[in-house]
Amino acid sequence: MIEYKNPKLLINKSNFQAGEICWRSPSNIAIIKYWGKHELQLPRNPSFSFTLNNAHTFTCLAYNLKETKGISFELIFEGKENTSFHPKIFKFFEQVVEIYPFIEQLHFRIETENTFPHSAGIASSASAMSALSLCLCTLERKLFNTLLNQKEFLQKASYLSRIGSGSACRSVYPTAALWGETNSISESSNLFAIPFKDEIHKVFHTYHDDILIVSKIEKSVPSSAGHDLMEGNIYAMNRYQQAKDRLNALLKALKEGDLVSFGTICEAEALTLHALMMTSNPSYLLLKPSTLSIIEEIRNFRTETSIPVYFTLDAGPNVHLLYPDEFKEIISEFITQKLLFYCIDQKYIQDIIGEGPSLASDS
Ligand code: DP6
């Protein structure tokens, strides 16, 4: 069992230099959904995601020594001082302080912005918490000359990200990531995600994810509350087993480049996620009439053309359209002709599978 708690990671004040570290980190879209957790963000079932490219968070962590001990930071979101994210960041620092005791010796100025609009149905907590975790791991490396091995670095960044937001732990890797124990993959873990680029067919490396925005209204039930409701859901145990079985079938399809099996599992997972919300107590429903209309259009288009375009959904009403690069022109035409009608401002966000986070600066 991996143990990152380390009381030795304290700064020697005599040779300290203030500085700033900036990371760009992407969001990700889950194909097998993480839904249900226990203890400190441990998943009830394994999940699998594609890493996005354009939808990302850019975060700079400026740090300086301070006199008094304790958690201290200011947060600038999209150019403005922001206090609404304070509780989440404060809790995160508290939860990782035994891993990084130097946090209490420093004052941080966190400047952060997203490339995508808030509430666009893109998981901003995944990109935001992974960007911040990557900044902290770079800071560890800088202060203590540790984490020099890239695999160890990313694994620890994934572990910290998980504590910030479960899905964030999958964002630190290029192309695709798997999080949660599964018998079929010996290195898999509930504590951090593992990279999955080399195990999947090349066709998936250039996949597209177009996001059709049907509503920008803040979700009525946040994901954290949705996870909690799984604890009382009578389908929970079957669901966790189903996710494991679907993951094994998905891994086979990903390896073989079997687009139909991939897409069938992908859509089943999206609808299962929302079925679990509807069968929670209290029940809730995040889908909108336009979500269903888009789903119907996609399925009709697929039947007519045999083009392997499939949808998935996050914990919201917006629809993610997944398809191979070779169909980008025809899908763009399809979206313009049939789907934009259902979208807010007749717009959608175009994304592709990405190469993972990048260090933007370290001074
Ligand atoms: C539906 O990672 O946002 O997107 O761990 O409470 O921060 P917390 O939840 P979060 O849940 C994501 C749920 C999901 C599925 C997924 O990304 O796997």
Side-chain angles (χ1 to χ4, degrees):
M1 174 94 155
I2 196 147
E3 181 53 91
Y4 284 129
K5 284 182 192 165
N6 187 351
K8 291 198 196 120
L9 294 183
L10 282 167
I11 297 167
N12 173 355
K13 298 188 178 182
S14 57
N15 55 6
F16 174 84
Q17 269 194 330
E20 184 182 66
I21 295 160
C22 303
W23 273 90
R24 191 175 288 117
S25 189
S27 186
N28 65 75
I29 180 69
I31 307 301
I32 301 291
K33 311 289 182 184
Y34 145 60
W35 201 241
K37 63 178 174 182
H38 60 111
E39 295 166 68
L40 192 53
Q41 313 268 82
L42 296 175
R44 288 285 184 199
N45 63 261
S47 59
F48 180 93
S49 61
F50 283 151
T51 305
L52 296 179
N53 187 64
N54 304 336
H56 64 253
T57 298
F58 184 75
T59 295
C60 290
L61 182 73
Y63 54 92
N64 204 352
L65 271 180
K66 66 178 175 6
E67 292 302 318
T68 50
K69 188 172 168 249
I71 293 166
S72 163
F73 66 93
E74 58 202 288
L75 184 74
I76 318 293
F77 178 62
E78 298 185 340
K80 290 194 202 94
E81 180 97 38
N82 182 304
T83 50
S84 61
F85 297 127
H86 263 240
K88 195 171 167 91
I89 306 287
F90 192 90
K91 189 169 162 210
F92 172 66
F93 280 144
E94 264 185 336
Q95 285 171 329
V96 300
V97 81
E98 285 188 282
I99 297 171
Y100 283 157
F102 62 80
I103 285 176
E104 291 197 308
Q105 297 177 289
L106 297 170
H107 174 74
F108 295 108
R109 181 184 159 90
I110 307 165
E111 271 193 73
T112 185
E113 57 192 40
N114 295 334
T115 52
F116 49 92
H118 194 53
S119 299
I122 299 173
S124 57
S125 66
S127 52
M129 297 317 293
S130 56
L132 182 58
S133 301
L134 287 156
C135 288
L136 286 173
C137 288
T138 301
L139 184 54
E140 178 196 330
R141 186 186 263 181
K142 224 170 141 174
L143 293 171
F144 307 101
N145 206 25
T146 46
L147 292 183
L148 301 175
N149 172 298
Q150 191 61 0
K151 186 178 169 199
E152 280 172 25
F153 178 91
L154 291 177
Q155 184 168 300
K156 190 158 182 180
S158 178
Y159 183 103
L160 290 175
S161 304
R162 182 201 97 233
I163 294 171
S165 176
S167 55
C169 75
R170 299 184 309 239
S171 273
V172 306
Y173 298 113
T175 311
L178 183 144
W179 169 40
E181 276 166 25
T182 168
N183 291 341
S184 53
I185 307 289
S186 57
E187 317 86 82
S188 63
S189 170
N190 285 338
L191 303 175
F192 49 81
I194 57 170
F196 226 78
K197 179 177 180 174
D198 298 337
E199 290 78 357
I200 66 178
H201 192 280
K202 282 226 150 44
V203 67
F204 295 108
H205 291 195
T206 54
Y207 241 58
H208 286 246
D209 178 7
D210 288 342
I211 305 151
L212 303 154
I213 312 294
V214 305
S215 169
K216 284 190 181 173
I217 297 168
E218 199 83 34
K219 284 184 282 197
S220 53
V221 181
S223 287
S224 50
H227 287 289
D228 290 347
L229 286 172
M230 279 302 283
E231 295 303 303
N233 190 310
I234 63 155
Y235 300 111
M237 289 307 150
N238 283 339
R239 156 61 192 160
Y240 302 141
Q241 186 56 47
Q242 177 190 55
K244 287 178 193 159
D245 297 343
R246 281 186 179 156
L247 178 69
N248 286 336
L250 181 83
L251 295 182
K252 183 170 179 287
L254 287 165
K255 193 173 169 194
E256 292 169 358
D258 175 351
L259 303 185
V260 174
S261 301
F262 163 80
T264 308
I265 297 166
C266 183
E267 292 193 351
E269 272 292 294
L271 295 175
T272 300
L273 171 69
H274 285 267
L276 290 167
M277 295 175 192
M278 291 182 227
T279 53
S280 290
N281 186 12
S283 154
Y284 67 109
L285 179 58
L286 299 182
L287 303 178
K288 300 282 177 216
S290 297
T291 314
L292 300 183
S293 301
I294 291 175
I295 289 175
E296 207 164 61
E297 293 280 7
I298 294 168
R299 289 186 162 173
N300 288 343
F301 176 80
R302 207 165 58 224
T303 310
E304 282 160 21
T305 62
S306 298
I307 290 175
V309 51
Y310 292 86
F311 69 85
T312 189
L313 304 159
D314 231 323
N318 302 320
V319 183
H320 291 244
L321 221 58
L322 298 169
Y323 57 91
D325 188 56
E326 66 171 298
F327 300 110
K328 62 176 183 251
E329 277 90 18
I330 187 156
I331 299 291
S332 155
E333 222 170 277
F334 164 58
I335 293 174
T336 311
Q337 283 175 7
K338 293 280 170 87
L339 305 183
L340 279 189
F341 167 77
Y342 302 104
C343 300
I344 300 276
D345 302 331
Q346 315 265 303
K347 281 199 189 117
Y348 71 107
I349 297 177
Q350 289 174 291
D351 214 334
I352 48 168
I353 303 313
E355 277 308 297
S358 55
L359 179 66
S361 69
D362 177 4
S363 54

